[in-house]
Amino acid sequence: MYKISELAEKVGLSRTALLYYEKLQLITGLRLENGYRVYSERDLQRIHLIQQLQLGGLTLKECKVCLESKIDKALVKQRLKELDEEIKQKQQSKILLAAIAGEGALKSWHESLDKLAPDAHLDWLKTQGFSDKEALQLKWLSKDMNDHDIYMQDFMKVFQTLERWGPGSEDDTKHALSLIPTAPSSILEIGCGKGLATNVLAKCSQAQITAIDNEQLALDQLAKRFEEKGLAARLEVCCTNMAALPYSNESYDLIWSEGSAYIIGIEKALMLWKPILKKQGYLMMSDLVWKTSSPSEQAIEFWRHEYPDIQTVQTRIKQIEKTGYQVIANFSQSKSAWLNYYNPLRERLNELEPEMVNSTAFKNMKNEVSICTEFADEFGYHMFILAKV
Ligand SMILES: C[S@@+](CC[C@H](N)C(=O)[O-])C[C@H]1O[C@@H](n2cnc3c(N)ncnc32)[C@H](O)[C@@H]1O
């Protein structure tokens, strides 16, 4: 026989817990003449059995039912299912912790967290020591905290010699500008890259242009080009984050964003930038859209990872209108805009293949070029000309 304190020590439970077990009649203590409670070997074994059942996920009350009557198979099966689910989740946690510790890839975790909680994802990356710029690059490009630096180094190695950093053409830029109802005297270009569109804006308007990007290298080349052309007085460049622009309300007639608004999310970009526009201001942005209502599996799978927010033109227009703009014109970018970007990128990748064949960034870019060539008629860039309402 065991005293309550002895039993408690043997099974690793408190006195109070044992008294509760007794109240539920899971064990039955005997009161001795001297007032002490004692428990039998049978009580000890019943507690061991209960503890095993609890480990399997049964509550104390369910354990009692199992001990006192024939096992409720439906209940046990349900618990089995829950246990499987728990094991699956624990496996996920193990994979994640291993990846954070540098022992595995984090790509799918970053992707799914970004879908579930995009702002929390970016905030968390910043608490891990990534800057605003790095956090966005991680979201769109490297998708892995552990390999981020090497990924971006390889990515920039490919892009530093390329003129275009996104699909576009002089004619498309000209055409979009011609659709702006009033000639702008001030333009803010966001995500200008090396400034191929900036050139056209300067050539086809009399506006004073502010061009922003978060790559100083690109801005330096743009500023140099304007200086060489004697246009420096019409341009101001600024290395800043498009998500936190340092401009006062109602300061620009026109905002221009070719292939850049998606970086912070189209709707968020439109809402953030709207106050900077003057009352009768306009905004032109280009975005990747579906050109077919039945894209192929490969295209869906590719963009599910690379641009999960890709929409049809109709859906995008509805979203734009909800953010307080009127869509006054829109058109598909030309085929040459697409080729102006993908042809030089393909050539550059071919040139670098011998030295970069094992690089993840290189492989991803090669894959993008191949998907965007093979399925080029299923998706493409579209230009939207918007009036601030
Ligand atoms: C797809 S490229 C388009 C570049 C240019 N408009 C063109 O068509 O060649 C996107 C541009 O946005 C810039 N960018 C990315 N994230 C940014 C951020 N958070 N703030 C400002 N610029 C950013 C990149 O450096 C890049 O130049």
Side-chain angles (χ1 to χ4, degrees):
M1 301 298 259
Y2 304 101
K3 283 194 226 155
I4 191 160
S5 53
E6 290 168 340
L7 184 65
E9 200 186 322
K10 271 194 173 300
V11 295
L13 290 170
S14 66
R15 257 180 112 257
T16 326
L18 289 179
L19 290 173
Y20 182 61
Y21 276 36
E22 189 160 352
K23 194 170 154 212
L24 292 179
Q25 298 174 332
L26 288 163
I27 52 175
T28 40
L30 258 180
R31 195 176 279 278
L32 299 179
E33 276 174 10
N34 59 8
Y36 281 118
R37 280 172 187 283
V38 287
Y39 298 87
S40 64
E41 180 65 23
R42 182 176 167 275
D43 288 320
L44 173 67
Q45 290 195 15
R46 271 172 76 91
I47 295 175
H48 283 321
L49 177 58
I50 290 166
Q51 286 177 325
Q52 285 303 315
L53 292 172
Q54 280 182 308
L55 276 177
L58 297 194
T59 65
L60 213 47
K61 287 194 176 137
E62 287 164 348
C63 290
K64 182 171 156 62
V65 176
C66 279
L67 289 177
E68 287 172 358
S69 50
K70 237 176 126 209
I71 279 177
D72 176 352
K73 280 211 176 135
L75 173 81
V76 175
K77 277 191 183 156
Q78 175 56 28
R79 286 287 174 270
L80 208 55
K81 221 168 109 195
E82 288 168 10
L83 209 56
D84 276 342
E85 194 46 44
E86 236 174 77
I87 291 170
K88 224 161 71 196
Q89 278 175 10
K90 290 251 153 64
Q91 286 285 8
Q92 289 288 352
S93 309
K94 190 178 161 203
I95 293 170
L96 170 62
L97 289 185
I100 288 177
E103 292 166 16
L106 275 169
K107 186 169 183 264
S108 61
W109 181 74
H110 280 300
E111 276 183 3
S112 59
L113 181 59
D114 201 64
K115 236 175 259 167
L116 191 71
D119 292 339
H121 180 215
L122 286 179
D123 287 346
W124 184 76
L125 287 173
K126 284 183 232 160
T127 57
Q128 300 309 303
F130 292 95
S131 65
D132 284 323
K133 176 179 171 183
E134 288 166 332
L136 280 167
Q137 288 175 334
L138 205 147
K139 168 190 167 107
W140 286 109
L141 301 169
S142 71
K143 301 181 183 176
D144 194 322
M145 303 189 313
N146 300 319
D147 296 334
H148 179 72
D149 290 346
I150 184 90
Y151 192 103
M152 286 315 300
Q153 214 175 296
D154 289 353
F155 182 85
M156 287 312 291
K157 183 177 180 143
V158 173
F159 273 94
Q160 68 194 359
T161 63
L162 294 175
E163 281 299 297
R164 277 198 185 277
W165 284 4
S169 81
E170 192 168 329
D171 284 348
D172 286 342
T173 303
K174 260 190 208 160
H175 182 48
L177 186 62
S178 74
L179 294 167
I180 305 290
T182 48
S185 46
S186 55
I187 303 177
L188 172 63
E189 191 191 355
I190 297 175
C192 59
K194 291 186 181 176
L196 295 192
T198 328
N199 276 335
V200 181
L201 296 175
K203 212 161 65 179
C204 303
S205 81
Q206 298 301 315
Q208 204 53 39
I209 303 172
T210 307
I212 78 108
D213 202 281
N214 66 357
E215 280 301 339
Q216 189 62 51
L217 168 136
L219 293 173
D220 290 346
Q221 291 195 21
L222 166 59
K224 192 163 162 248
R225 192 177 290 145
F226 266 61
E227 215 162 287
E228 284 163 2
K229 287 186 176 158
L231 287 170
R234 287 193 40 212
L235 178 76
E236 187 192 330
V237 294
C238 178
C239 191
T240 188
N241 180 6
M242 65 170 81
L245 292 171
Y247 303 113
S248 37
N249 284 353
E250 300 185 12
S251 45
Y252 286 93
D253 293 323
L254 175 61
I255 288 181
W256 202 265
S257 153
E258 288 201 28
S260 67
Y262 79 92
I263 292 163
I264 53 170
I266 299 292
E267 288 163 288
K268 182 173 171 184
L270 292 181
M271 285 191 283
L272 273 179
W273 300 343
K274 195 174 164 200
I276 298 171
L277 273 181
K278 288 190 185 159
K279 277 208 178 77
Q280 310 285 313
Y282 295 93
L283 187 151
M284 193 310 292
M285 65 113 189
S286 66
D287 185 30
L288 185 77
V289 294
W290 289 120
K291 293 202 284 193
T292 163
S293 53
S294 51
S296 58
E297 278 304 312
Q298 288 107 309
I300 294 175
E301 182 56 16
F302 179 76
W303 292 116
R304 189 167 72 79
H305 295 286
E306 302 308 320
Y307 188 28
D309 190 32
I310 181 171
Q311 306 290 348
T312 59
V313 172
Q314 290 78 2
T315 311
R316 194 52 100 200
I317 287 179
K318 277 190 202 133
Q319 290 175 343
I320 292 170
E321 285 170 349
K322 278 196 193 136
T323 58
Y325 295 84
Q326 187 196 349
V327 180
I328 56 169
N330 67 95
F331 64 93
S332 282
Q333 273 197 345
S334 56
K335 197 167 176 195
S336 57
W338 196 248
L339 299 179
N340 284 347
Y341 174 65
Y342 282 110
N343 282 346
L345 178 56
R346 182 185 301 103
E347 276 165 32
R348 176 78 178 142
L349 291 171
N350 287 342
E351 180 188 314
L352 290 171
E353 182 136 27
E355 53 178 303
M356 291 187 81
V357 70
N358 293 320
S359 146
T360 310
F362 178 86
K363 287 182 203 157
N364 288 348
M365 285 183 262
K366 260 212 112 114
N367 184 41
E368 176 177 343
V369 171
S370 122
I371 295 276
C372 291
T373 305
E374 189 174 347
F375 302 100
D377 50 349
E378 297 188 3
F379 47 81
Y381 265 85
H382 201 86
M383 299 187 108
F384 297 88
I385 293 100
L386 320 177
K388 178 173 171 172
V389 179

